[in-house]
Amino acid sequence: MLLYVLLCCVGVVQSYRNGRVSTACGSMTPSHRSNIAQSSSAPFTVTADKTTFKEGDQITVSLNSQSADQFEGFMLQARQVGSSTPIGTFNVMDSNAQLLSCDGVASRAASHTSGSKKGLIQATWTAPTSGQLGNIEFRATFVKNFATFWVDVKSSTVAYTGTSGTAAPTAPSNPDCGKTKVCFSHPSSCDPTANTACFFMAVQTSSNQSEMRIEMFGQADGYVAIGFSDDQEMGNDDIYICGKDSSGNLQVRHAISTGKSAPTILSLGNVTDMRTTLTNGNTINCSFTSRNAISTGSRATSISEYYLMIAAGPSNSQGNIQIHANKYVSSTKANLQDPSQVVTSVEEFPAIVKAHGCLMLISWMTTGSIGMLIARYLKGVAKDHGCCGKDFWFMAHVSLMSLSVTATAIAFILVFSYVRGWSGGAHPVLGCLVMILSLIQPIVAAFRCEPNHERRFIFNWAHSFIALAIKGLAVAAIFTGLALFEEYKEDGWMLKVMGGFVTWEALIYVLQDLNLRAKKKDSETCSFGSMRPETVLLVLFLLGNLAFLIALLVGIGRS
């Protein structure tokens, strides 16, 4: 029993000395058995180096000893006057201090790391960039020893002088682009006031670029970010992020990108007049004034020419940004001092990606579709005519399907050589399945048994099933691929054309099937003189097929 009691005491002391006391965020009161807080004035003070603050401001907070007394433990928070909820975030450099999470939000408080004696602790507090803000005070708990501690020691009130976080930012729009501010958007020259699918940024600088008014707009589940870069690749870029925090409110953050890994969040610095609006949970609109020098990598200069970047994507429940789902980079460097220039984005779909799309359309809209149609309905045309003992329909079928598989393989190699990885989403999954089955199909056909073999039906069923699966997956892959080309176009006309093609192909199959059933009953659905109905239907299908194909190829070329 004595050993059990001693072990319990060790646990209590350890909990106190390591400062990991997030469970006390609400009350800020140590759980030191029956000991209660002192009612006398504390021999320690909490002071701030500023008397006023705005959104994103940083304040240095000092915990001081006013006498020979020193404190062993502490907890520090910022709260609005009259509130019991901590706000803002802290940063500490002292080895005797650490950051704590409160209510699941990181860095909401600071505390000690050990029970060593302390006479001075300093921490930097950063104000929120959005939300309903008001006057604040810093509150601290000081622990002199296990039995002696003071709770709710307050600093002087720090007055809030900023703009309410609910104020709407200046509506981003095109009229001032080319006149007073440099603008970059995707699609090019889109107007965010008229098109919510528009990604937009604008920069208006002072004559010496000591001050920039920045606007950003876009649709995203977590954040929209803009960047200034020396090149068109991510890495060593000066970034501003407007995204949701753990509470779902928008906040502005300053960062520097580190390539493919998450950017490094920096001190917000001299950023003022922040205004944010979140509409429908995913339309992000932020504007602010920055007096920070643009720093790309190791340099910070007054050079005014940069590639402009826009990125957008999701963030996790803690407000940490995840890999972007959308990224746009200007085709040339933009001179921030020259609003008259026109800044356009790098072509979103390079030629190699367009070639991939065109080859897949040709494979599974034309050569593949015609090859399947011939194998099913035109076996009786030119029967016993062909080459090397093979009927015409068989030679045509094999030739067309071989072209389809070859074009599919080339398209597959092209896009993977460009992306050099897995891009995610349904389209690459469907494409890989089409490629795999397309390679399996000729292998199965090469090992088929003779037509009169008793187990020939197994091959027939397997061959038909795989062909049907490839066709369905290919159509789905084409739809998802065209959706990527038209992601930011409101009319979606290429998807409609593809829908028309599927309807047209289904109609031809129905007519061919009706004709096949009629032939089995020794009758005809219609007569075309010397030409067989199935041949006429094939020609009609080919003409309609080419019309739909050309329309889609033109659409991809213009994307």
Side-chain angles (χ1 to χ4, degrees):
M1 179 62 73
L2 177 61
L3 179 61
Y4 175 77
V5 172
L6 289 175
L7 288 174
C8 289
C9 291
V10 170
V12 170
V13 173
Q14 177 63 23
S15 175
Y16 154 66
R17 289 186 177 276
N18 65 23
R20 296 170 188 163
V21 289
S22 293
T23 54
C25 281
S27 65
M28 298 186 70
T29 302
S31 298
H32 290 182
R33 295 198 291 272
S34 60
N35 297 303
I36 61 175
Q38 302 297 306
S39 58
S40 60
S41 297
F44 312 110
T45 59
V46 184
T47 57
D49 69 341
K50 294 181 181 178
T51 57
T52 62
F53 79 99
K54 301 182 294 296
E55 289 89 345
D57 276 2
Q58 292 189 326
I59 299 175
T60 299
V61 186
S62 300
L63 306 182
N64 291 280
S65 172
Q66 295 296 97
S67 63
D69 292 321
Q70 290 186 310
F71 52 93
E72 295 181 356
F74 71 91
M75 176 183 278
L76 173 64
Q77 294 181 9
R79 297 182 178 183
Q80 290 198 39
V81 176
S83 172
S84 60
T85 303
I87 65 170
T89 57
F90 284 93
N91 186 35
V92 295
M93 300 297 292
D94 196 316
S95 60
N96 288 316
Q98 64 183 331
L99 301 176
L100 292 181
S101 296
C102 291
D103 300 324
V105 182
S107 306
R108 277 285 195 253
S111 71
H112 55 281
T113 58
S114 70
S116 63
K117 298 292 184 179
K118 308 166 189 66
L120 172 65
I121 291 290
Q122 288 189 324
T124 302
W125 178 79
T126 302
T129 58
S130 62
Q132 293 281 9
L133 300 182
N135 298 343
I136 65 164
E137 57 194 7
F138 294 96
R139 301 185 183 186
T141 293
F142 291 95
V143 178
K144 181 178 178 181
N145 53 52
F146 192 79
T148 308
F149 54 88
W150 289 263
V151 176
D152 214 24
V153 180
K154 300 177 182 179
S155 70
S156 299
T157 299
V158 182
Y160 171 66
T161 59
T163 305
S164 171
T166 58
T170 304
S173 58
N174 288 69
D176 293 330
C177 294
K179 298 178 182 178
T180 62
K181 57 190 181 185
V182 176
C183 298
F184 173 51
S185 63
H186 182 86
S188 296
S189 303
C190 65
D191 187 345
T193 60
N195 180 9
T196 56
C198 177
F199 287 89
F200 177 90
M201 68 170 287
V203 182
Q204 183 174 357
T205 64
S206 59
S207 58
N208 59 359
Q209 203 176 314
S210 62
E211 179 178 298
M212 297 184 294
R213 184 65 186 172
I214 296 175
E215 304 168 25
M216 62 177 80
F217 178 94
Q219 281 191 336
D221 292 331
Y223 70 93
V224 174
I226 60 100
F228 305 92
S229 179
D230 291 326
D231 53 40
Q232 293 176 308
E233 300 296 327
M234 286 195 166
N236 298 326
D237 314 313
D238 197 299
I239 295 174
Y240 287 96
I241 303 167
C242 181
K244 299 177 185 178
D245 60 17
S246 58
S247 301
N249 298 316
L250 291 180
Q251 64 171 340
V252 176
R253 286 176 286 178
H254 189 199
I256 186 164
S257 72
T258 54
K260 293 184 179 180
S261 57
T264 300
I265 303 299
L266 306 174
S267 166
L268 191 58
N270 196 351
V271 174
T272 58
D273 193 16
M274 286 171 285
R275 304 187 179 194
T276 63
T277 297
L278 181 64
T279 308
N280 298 326
N282 68 345
T283 302
I284 295 172
N285 184 3
C286 296
S287 63
F288 54 90
T289 299
S290 172
R291 296 178 180 84
N292 299 324
I294 295 177
S295 177
T296 51
S298 60
R299 68 180 180 82
T301 70
S302 59
I303 294 175
S304 59
E305 291 190 353
Y306 301 94
Y307 288 101
L308 304 182
M309 296 180 169
I310 301 175
S315 55
N316 62 21
S317 58
Q318 285 75 43
N320 299 318
I321 69 173
Q322 307 296 296
I323 188 169
H324 52 269
N326 306 95
K327 171 194 166 187
Y328 310 105
V329 183
S330 62
S331 57
T332 59
K333 283 188 174 182
N335 187 339
L336 303 183
Q337 298 284 323
D338 181 15
S340 64
Q341 66 190 309
V342 177
V343 184
T344 59
S345 62
V346 174
E347 186 179 20
E348 184 179 1
F349 299 104
I352 193 170
V353 176
K354 293 180 180 180
H356 163 81
C358 292
L359 284 172
M360 294 301 278
L361 287 178
I362 294 170
S363 297
W364 299 108
M365 280 184 63
T366 306
T367 57
S369 293
I370 295 172
M372 291 179 182
L373 203 66
I374 289 174
R376 180 168 178 80
Y377 298 109
L378 276 80
K379 291 182 180 180
V381 176
K383 189 173 179 61
D384 299 325
H385 291 80
C387 181
C388 302
K390 301 296 181 181
D391 288 343
F392 170 79
W393 74 266
F394 181 80
M395 295 174 60
H397 171 71
V398 171
S399 299
L400 289 169
M401 299 314 295
S402 296
L403 284 174
S404 297
V405 173
T406 302
T408 300
I410 294 172
F412 187 82
I413 293 169
L414 285 177
V415 76
F416 266 91
S417 66
Y418 171 74
V419 177
R420 297 180 183 275
W422 189 260
S423 61
H427 183 69
V429 174
L430 293 168
C432 287
L433 291 174
V434 169
M435 185 71 258
I436 292 169
L437 292 176
S438 296
L439 294 176
I440 291 174
Q441 187 75 316
I443 295 173
V444 172
F447 292 95
R448 69 189 184 278
C449 50
E450 293 298 323
N452 297 324
H453 196 279
E454 62 179 1
R455 291 192 178 90
R456 175 70 179 215
F457 74 93
I458 297 176
F459 163 75
N460 292 339
W461 277 102
H463 195 66
S464 299
F465 176 79
I466 295 174
L468 184 61
I470 293 175
K471 182 65 177 180
L473 291 169
V475 169
I478 291 173
F479 270 109
T480 54
L482 293 177
L484 294 176
F485 278 103
E486 294 197 308
E487 186 173 4
Y488 304 106
K489 297 178 181 177
E490 295 181 353
D491 54 3
W493 72 271
M494 284 198 291
L495 289 172
K496 296 174 183 176
V497 171
M498 185 60 191
F501 166 75
V502 172
T503 304
W504 169 251
E505 187 173 33
L507 175 62
I508 294 296
Y509 266 87
V510 169
L511 293 176
Q512 288 277 22
D513 207 68
L514 290 174
N515 179 66
L516 182 63
R517 291 172 183 270
K519 286 181 63 176
K520 290 180 179 180
K521 297 179 180 180
D522 296 324
S523 63
E524 290 185 342
T525 54
C526 55
S527 177
F528 298 97
S530 61
M531 290 189 67
R532 296 189 179 189
E534 54 265 41
T535 304
V536 174
L537 289 173
L538 178 63
V539 172
L540 287 175
F541 175 69
L542 180 59
L543 293 175
N545 182 290
L546 290 175
F548 285 111
L549 177 64
I550 291 171
L552 291 177
L553 292 179
V554 170
I556 289 178
R558 292 180 176 178
S559 296

